Amino acid sequence: MSQVQEFAGTVEELKTLFSDRAVSGETMVLNLGPQHPSTHGVLRLMLELDGEEVVRCLPDIGFLHTGIEKNMEAKTYLKALVMTDRMDYLNPLGNNLTYCLAVEKLCGIEVPNRAQVIRVLCAELQRISSHLVWLGTSAMDLNASSILIYCFRDRELLLDIFELIGGQRMMTSYIRPGGVWRDLPDEFFPAVNDFLEYLPEKLADYERLLTRNPLFLRRTKDVGIVDADDALERGLTGASLRGSGVNYDVRRAMPYCGYEQYDFDVPLGNGCDVYSRYRVRMQEFHQSMSIIRQAISRLEPGPVMTDDRRFAPPPRSELGRSMEAVIHHFKYWTEGFSGPEGEVYVATESPRGELGCYLVGDGGAQPARVHFRTPSFHNLQSLPRMAEGYLVADLVAMIGSIDIVLGDVDR
Amino acid sequence: MSPVIGIVIEAIIKSALMVFVLATAFAYLTLAERKIAAFVQVRKGPNRVGPWGLMQPAADGIKLLFKEEMVPAGADKVLFFLAPILTMIPAMVIMAVVPIGPDVELFGRSIRLGISDLNVGMLYILSVASVAVYGIVLAGWSSANKYSLLGGLRASAQMISYEIALGLSIIGPIILAGTMSLQGIITAQQQSTWYVLWQPVGALVFFLAGLAEVNRAPFDMPEAEQELTAGYFTEYSGMKFSLFFMGEYIKMVAVCAIATTLFLGGYLGPYVEQLPWLGILYFTIKTTALLFLMIWIRLTLPRLRYDQLMAFGWKVLLPLALANVVVTATATVLLG
């Protein structure tokens, strides 16, 4: 109870958040969100406006706080996996992957080669699907409304593919500690090939609508400038950081799942503005498609789950003949497996930036502490500095350009 | 029956018809916009109410009638009530001077297809159009909502600055026709040709300024859903909301109708002398084509920023319109 009182601010305290001009009534304090069409979820921004110019911008987060990290401590390593789907709901497979990599690092699990390649496939398909949502919503923020629908149409094909591999469109939990749930179905390959042929043509259409459109250029060029030093200082990662010309991509800096064997470029921008971030993401579509093509050609037959039975369920074929397998199956899914004591940190490149997982094990079947370093949370920190001095309309473009997902910010 | 009573009855019938036609046009314009948007965006659009969704506007109207009318606690009740009416009425009466067809013979009388033919028709249009901004400003002010206030501010700045370009762009046709009467301008086009050929710049400026005047994308700053939720009518609901909606769409129709009259020859078309009723058809087709263009633009282009919009109005459209007036006037004097 005492803690609650500690956080309840008084009006006098709140006054210090804004400049003196707001107290005297010279500037206006505007509450933008949490219900607002352009805050990409339930972000609340307290704005101090001089006319329409933003004097100060204070993000207020926590409206989508679901206690995922704490909840995971009460579940076994396996069952905690399903919570990760729900964090960044545009990147569920990527969240699965990050968490599984952390568990594997903690327990020292070897992942078979085929599973590694499938994971890369999933992560890149997920990146395209997330970028499609970003493109649609950020164009929508500038009132280019049709692109939103086009992007969601294209994303639908990807969701069908995810349903094919995991049985679910979004909350797949397909990537498991030790590998992936099951092998890719045969229908997967024609579906992905069709999509890879379909998408470039559509992307060219969207580029025709936006990239050289004078109205779009006016709205995005020299807007929301964050230079490289500023960006690093504020912990900006992902395409938003690369838009400021910093060559940092976790897939290159700390390769995982064998990304070092793939041939791909890290697109960079030098405008430091909304447009530069837009260009970087548009190029990332093509890089992801190239990685997917390489991954498909790399797929070799083999197991998709580790054969270390401490961490993997027994194959279904054994359940009918072996009593030990039945017992193992029961114990595996109820008690789970015990991890060693220790702490690990792994990071992956999510569509939004560096998604890290800090995992502490205490020797039991449940993680002692799980913490996610989510890119949206850190990217949001740079918004106040970006926004100062620009107009409300620019602020909306900036929120779109740093591509935040509130599920990822609040967890 | 004295001629005066005849004229009065004729005017009343024509006005009632015009209100009915405009209200219907508004209703079906909303449906058309949704259908066109659906077509562009690979969707189906409204298709539940009636065949092809044709009864959708009626269903929407009934729904809006029965919605609760919310008035914010801090609102100025009188102005809050007055604002939608002030937006709606000018939009309606602006069409009074637009001829929608040539004179026709009916019941032994020669009847003009159009409510009135003022000799200062263009001036009437400009003055009525400028009243509409009051509705929006008052709505923004009286709602006691910061988003509405910003919307109202944007609207007043935008509409006032675009009215100048709008006013200058219609001087071209007036000089060419030598009259301010819309009927006169059409007759003059009958003798020469559509003024869009003589006045391409004027037509362009008129259309762009018209877009800004009716707050359509990419100049829909006062509403700007992504920035100001709904701008000046954020706090409105039920019938008051639909009055704003109606005002906006009827203004769209009016601007397109005026553009048709000034630059596209109004009701003129083949065989219109022999069959005067054809004029209405030509007029409708031309106006609808312009409306389609407006909807198409909205579905394609991003929105301009507020300051860029003002810069565009003052630094591009206004000089362009002025230059157009100078060139037109000089050419008319020199070439007779």
Side-chain angles (χ1 to χ4, degrees), chain A residues 281-357:
Chain A
R281 287 206 178 85
M282 289 313 277
Q283 291 169 47
E284 285 189 358
F285 276 116
H286 298 282
Q287 296 306 324
S288 286
M289 283 190 277
S290 145
I291 296 177
I292 291 170
R293 285 199 196 91
Q294 294 172 43
I296 289 181
S297 66
R298 263 168 199 278
L299 269 180
E300 282 160 10
V304 294
M305 188 51 114
T306 172
D307 55 3
D308 188 341
R309 286 294 170 82
R310 278 178 302 166
F311 305 111
R316 200 146 193 92
S317 54
E318 286 179 22
L319 289 179
R321 340 182 234 104
S322 157
M323 191 60 213
E324 286 74 21
V326 175
I327 295 170
H328 175 209
H329 184 269
F330 180 75
K331 298 269 278 182
Y332 179 83
W333 288 113
T334 51
E335 273 178 10
F337 54 80
S338 299
E341 271 183 52
E343 51 185 327
V344 291
Y345 176 82
V346 281
T348 62
E349 181 73 18
S350 101
R352 266 155 280 286
E354 179 180 334
L355 173 64
C357 178

Side-chain angles (χ1 to χ4, degrees), chain A residues 195-214:
Chain A
F195 182 75
L196 290 181
E197 271 176 33
Y198 166 88
L199 189 65
E201 200 183 309
K202 296 292 168 193
L203 283 176
D205 279 350
Y206 310 150
E207 292 234 31
R208 265 200 288 280
L209 277 170
L210 292 177
T211 305
R212 284 192 304 278
N213 182 336

